Structure formats: C-alpha cells, structure tokens
Amino acid sequence: EVQLVESGGGLVQPGGSLRLSCVESGFNFRNHYMTWFRQAPGKGLEWVANINQDGSDKAYVESVKGRFTISRDNAKNSLYLQMSNLRGEDTAVYYCAGGQGWLTRYWGQGVLVTVSS
Amino acid sequence: DIVMTQSPDSLAVSLGERATINCKSSQTVLSSSNNKNYLAWYQRKPGQSPKLLISWASTRESGVPDRFSGGGSGTDFTLTISSVQAEDVAVYYCHHYHSSPLTFGGGTNVEIK
C-alpha cells in the first residue's frame, strides 16, 4: 500500500521560510512524478508545483514562482518544498502527491502551514 | 489557464438513485497527439485526502466500484454514480492534467436525501 507522509508544517511569520518534506513508502518513488497541492481555508484544491522523476523538470503555479522550490532525493524516497518569503495567502494544508506523468494517483494526508504574525 | 466549472455545487440523492455531476473546461483537454482526454475525477470523504476514481475521462481505477462511470470529451464531462450508496457521501472534484497550471473544479457535495 502506498503511503506518503508529510512533515515540516507549522506557524511562520509573514516573510519567513519553511521546508516541507514528504517520505514515500509502498511504491517505486523514483519512477513517479511528484506534486505538491494545497487547500487554503474555505478554498478549493490548488496545484502548487511538480517535479519529474529525475528532478530535471519542474513547474510552478504563477503565485509561488521565485518563492518556492520543489526538489526530491530518490535515494531517500523523499520530496521537498522549500518555501520562502511566505505570505498570508500561502496559509493552507499542503499535500504531497504522486503518480504517472501529471496524473496524480496517490495523496498524503496533508500538513498545515499557517502564515501569521 | 484552463478553468474547470462543476455543476451542481451540491446534490442530494436518495439511496439507489442515479447521481450525475457535470464538469466543463474553458479549453479542450483532449490531446490531438494521442486522442486522450486529460481529465480525472476524485472523491474526497470527510477527513480524508482525495482518492482517484477515474482517469483519462472514462478509465475507472482498480478497485473502484463499477457504479462509478465517467464520460465526455473535449470540454464537457460527466461523472455518474448509477446507484448511490451511503458510502458515496463525499465531495467530488474534476481535475485536468493537460497543461500547466493544473486546475480543479470547485467540487460537488453529494449527500443522501
């Protein structure tokens, strides 16, 4: 059974930084495209970023370009999201997800990021 | 950006009845190179993460009951639950993975009447 477990969330002040991590077990991590999604309070699901199998291709939603960086370590079955210059509108539950190409099959349970002074 | 519009926002159905959810994309999600629709349906039960039900507009995932079916092509899609069961209470989302940015519909809340 596939398991994706996120960590690293918490409360951070506006302008601050946070690094989210996601560890996979139960499927062949290095063969899968990986994605971060988020859902802000009272809002819908939003794609944030994704990364291909070897980390050579990355894409971001416009609102996080230049502030967030997605990366992966296939040796550790891990996905990361480095978030900097955080804003109130980045407050959300962040989900790690994976699949084939841009089709997402598996989701983690999510981790809460709160940006507030 | 491709905007995904779902209707209705909410749907109350009696047990055993049919439920139909509509999803319209602002641009085609049909690829001319492989003739595939890059459209998925997810089910999200309270307190859980989304679960993939349907990919490529009409391909049911392994283990998904056959009362769930997806249809449509291009810009207009439907998710049908042929005979709603109590365990189908959830929010259903359509989602395109055709091009960046990937986007979701606003969700349809299915409840039992």
Side-chain angles (χ1 to χ4, degrees):
Chain A
E1 184 183 341
V2 175
Q3 268 205 312
L4 294 166
V5 179
E6 303 96 336
S7 61
L11 174 64
V12 60
Q13 292 190 338
S17 298
L18 211 55
R19 188 197 198 204
L20 303 183
S21 300
C22 170
V23 178
E24 168 276 329
S25 61
F27 80 122
N28 200 341
F29 179 80
R30 64 181 64 246
N31 285 349
H32 291 90
Y33 237 92
M34 297 300 295
T35 302
W36 287 100
F37 294 99
R38 67 184 178 184
Q39 186 166 28
K43 302 281 190 177
L45 290 165
E46 181 181 38
W47 168 75
V48 175
N50 58 20
I51 187 169
N52 69 345
Q53 288 87 338
D54 66 5
S56 62
D57 187 29
K58 306 172 186 180
Y60 301 89
V61 69
E62 193 63 37
S63 60
V64 309
K65 282 181 182 176
R67 300 188 300 122
F68 290 13
T69 301
I70 189 171
S71 62
R72 65 191 295 162
D73 184 339
N74 288 341
K76 295 182 178 179
N77 291 346
S78 293
L79 176 72
Y80 306 101
L81 186 68
Q82 178 67 48
M83 305 184 292
S84 60
N85 193 18
L86 283 159
R87 308 166 180 167
E89 55 264 37
D90 295 318
T91 294
V93 176
Y94 285 73
Y95 297 93
C96 165
Q100 289 76 41
W102 285 2
L103 171 62
T104 292
R105 283 207 150 82
Y106 316 108
W107 295 67
Q109 286 302 303
V111 62
L112 177 62
V113 172
T114 304
V115 183
S116 175
S117 54
Chain B
D1 298 5
I2 298 176
V3 177
M4 310 298 290
T5 304
Q6 277 183 246
S7 62
D9 292 337
S10 188
L11 190 56
V13 184
S14 300
L15 287 172
E17 300 260 301
R18 175 185 295 258
T20 300
I21 300 169
N22 300 296
C23 176
K24 188 174 184 66
S25 58
S26 61
Q27 302 170 40
T28 186
V29 297
L30 174 65
S31 171
S32 55
S33 62
N34 60 10
N35 204 37
K36 285 188 169 186
N37 288 284
Y38 285 63
L39 189 285
W41 289 96
Y42 292 91
Q43 174 193 63
R44 189 175 196 183
K45 295 184 178 181
Q48 296 184 15
S49 298
K51 173 189 174 183
L52 179 63
L53 295 178
I54 304 278
S55 59
W56 309 110
S58 59
T59 301
R60 201 167 37 245
E61 289 295 292
S62 175
V64 173
D66 60 8
R67 62 179 181 274
F68 291 93
S69 63
S73 184
T75 61
D76 292 277
F77 301 91
T78 58
L79 174 69
T80 301
I81 310 173
S82 61
S83 175
V84 171
Q85 304 300 304
E87 60 266 32
D88 300 335
V89 169
V91 179
Y92 294 84
Y93 296 93
C94 62
H95 167 61
H96 90 82
Y97 47 102
H98 177 273
S99 54
S100 178
L102 315 182
T103 56
F104 291 84
T108 296
N109 185 41
V110 173
E111 57 184 25
I112 304 300
K113 193 185 296 182

